[in-house]
Amino acid sequence: MNHPEKPPVDNLTELMEFVLLDFADMPCLQWFLFGLFLIIYIIILMSNDTIFLIIKMDPALQSPMYFFIANFSFLEICYVSATLPRMLMNLGTQRRRISVVSCATQMCFAFIFGGIECLLLAVMAYDRYVAICNPLHYPLVMSNRVCVLLATGSWTIGIPVMIGHTYQIFSLSFCRSKQINNFFCDIPPILKLACGDTFINEMLVYTVAVLFVMVPFLLILGSYSKIVSIILKLPSATSRGKAFSTCTSHLMVVILFFGSAIITYLRPNGRHSEETDKVLSLFYAILTPMLNPTIYSLRNKDVIIALRKLLCQ
């Protein structure tokens, strides 16, 4: 995306704040949308909190797979809390202004938690690969120490990279329209407001997207190609069905999360549409976190049994 050359400093008006348009084009639906997204936010918090608690409390769920699911549920709470509260405030107060610092902070936290989720989903695929392809070595390979190291490594890699990435985006000068046609500070609409040539910034966006989205996605596909080949060789239909059931939930989450992220950040610039970007952002930032607990709980017998125990108590 090449913009005209940066104007002289004397004529440059640096923006101190942005305006998040979110759903400003639907004034009649503001309170309906406020109520809808408030309910969605409560559902996300309660469902992920419930999964996190039952995994921590139930002795039957103390395995590597559920350790990673608990971590993922915690990340989902953090991820959606980086964007939804601000959108609810904008809908409730009709004040859509956000300072550059607040915008950068929101983007930073959203991408930290989103990036860590991508890495953690790849780790979860590796866990399923070891469990199905090397079941005899599973307790040794996926020991408690290894699980903690893998989860900690995801955080250790994600935090500094996303902080640096956010700093690089907001080191640009913004002298154009201050209106962000989105409901949170996402990269594509922010770059459209920058002055000068943003080619280097866009290349860095692609690089980070490849490292945190495409590489984990390819690793997951590689793991599942091996898993499927092993499952198809199992002698009984019951064994094949049980093996498939342990993987389908994770695979559904992967398709939902990575699909929208790949379309958003790895599309050619010429195909970027503001309305499409807004819909995709809404999908991977709100709808996917709402669906994930349902996928994990309703398709998992162990989680359902643990939930029943908790409700009885």
Side-chain angles (χ1 to χ4, degrees), residues 43-192:
I43 290 172
I44 292 171
L45 293 181
M46 291 183 64
S47 56
N48 280 290
D49 266 334
T50 302
I51 291 176
F52 183 83
L53 287 173
I54 61 176
I55 289 174
K56 291 298 180 184
M57 294 172 62
D58 197 306
L61 301 181
Q62 304 308 305
S63 67
M65 181 177 76
Y66 294 110
F67 170 79
F68 292 125
I69 289 177
N71 275 268
F72 190 76
S73 294
F74 174 74
L75 273 172
E76 289 281 56
I77 294 170
C78 297
Y79 179 56
V80 79
S81 296
T83 55
L84 247 180
R86 182 80 199 197
M87 186 179 74
L88 290 171
M89 186 183 75
N90 291 347
L91 287 169
T93 64
Q94 300 300 301
R95 296 175 184 172
R96 295 182 169 83
R97 296 181 183 274
I98 182 172
S99 69
V100 173
V101 173
S102 297
C103 190
T105 303
Q106 185 187 60
M107 179 187 286
C108 185
F109 278 109
F111 280 92
I112 283 174
F113 298 129
I116 296 170
E117 280 191 10
C118 291
L119 298 177
L120 192 62
L121 285 168
V123 169
M124 293 165 76
Y126 174 69
D127 169 71
R128 292 298 83 208
Y129 165 77
V130 176
I132 292 173
C133 299
N134 295 292
L136 297 179
H137 296 95
Y138 182 69
L140 179 64
V141 175
M142 298 303 293
S143 63
N144 288 336
R145 180 174 174 274
V146 171
C147 291
V148 171
L149 285 174
L150 288 171
T152 306
S154 299
W155 284 83
T156 305
I157 295 170
I159 291 174
V161 172
M162 293 307 174
I163 290 175
H165 189 42
T166 304
Y167 175 80
Q168 173 262 326
I169 294 292
F170 282 88
S171 63
L172 294 165
S173 295
F174 302 98
C175 56
R176 299 175 180 278
S177 169
K178 60 182 181 180
Q179 295 182 340
I180 301 174
N181 191 16
N182 210 318
F183 71 91
F184 81 102
C185 293
D186 205 356
I187 290 177
I190 290 289
L191 283 180
K192 290 177 181 178

Side-chain angles (χ1 to χ4, degrees), residues 184-206:
F184 81 102
C185 293
D186 205 356
I187 290 177
I190 290 289
L191 283 180
K192 290 177 181 178
L193 306 182
C195 306
D197 189 356
T198 59
F199 176 76
I200 293 176
N201 304 89
E202 288 168 4
M203 288 303 100
L204 288 171
V205 171
Y206 281 121

